[in-house]
Amino acid sequence: MIKSELVLKLAEQNPHLYQRDVENIVNAILDTIADALARGDRVELRGFGAFSVKKRDARTGRNPRTGEAVSISEKVVPVFKTGKEMRQRLNASPKVLKAAAAR
């Protein structure tokens, strides 16, 4: 599901709201999460999961084409860990298990 599909689904479930309002709400939520992660904060949505950031130290890598050593600077990457309820819901769903097995 992409963001526009999420907006459409939420707009269908809430006919009293205009689609542009739903889009603004979704954008506000995602922007707030992104801003919190940029500050280094952890964002926890009970039953869904937790977003956090993890620091990766600088290291030496290899250029796969030439084999030459390349220095890779340190960086911060986003991490998502599913919540207990989400994990249970995914593991109980035969559709998800079937789709994962097909990959």
Side-chain angles (χ1 to χ4, degrees):
M1 175 180 286
I2 58 176
K3 186 164 70 169
S4 59
E5 293 171 341
L6 176 63
V7 169
L8 287 174
K9 186 149 181 100
L10 291 173
E12 287 172 6
Q13 292 175 353
N14 298 282
H16 60 285
L17 295 174
Y18 292 111
Q19 184 173 335
R20 68 177 180 268
D21 293 336
V22 173
E23 187 171 358
N24 289 338
I25 292 167
V26 169
N27 286 335
I29 292 169
L30 296 177
D31 288 344
T32 303
I33 291 172
D35 291 343
L37 292 175
R39 288 191 309 270
D41 294 342
R42 183 171 186 265
V43 179
E44 183 176 335
L45 304 172
R46 294 276 175 179
F48 184 75
F51 297 91
S52 59
V53 291
K54 191 178 239 182
K55 181 182 163 218
R56 290 199 179 161
D57 293 329
R59 61 187 173 89
T60 302
R62 297 259 174 230
N63 180 333
R65 193 173 280 174
T66 64
E68 178 184 346
V70 178
S71 66
I72 301 171
S73 60
E74 74 176 15
K75 58 183 82 173
V76 178
V77 294
V79 177
F80 177 75
K81 183 176 183 206
T82 58
K84 182 179 176 183
E85 291 175 32
M86 174 69 80
R87 256 191 320 276
Q88 290 172 342
R89 194 169 169 186
L90 290 174
N91 288 318
S93 173
K95 280 186 180 180
V96 173
L97 293 174
K98 188 176 181 180
R103 289 186 196 165

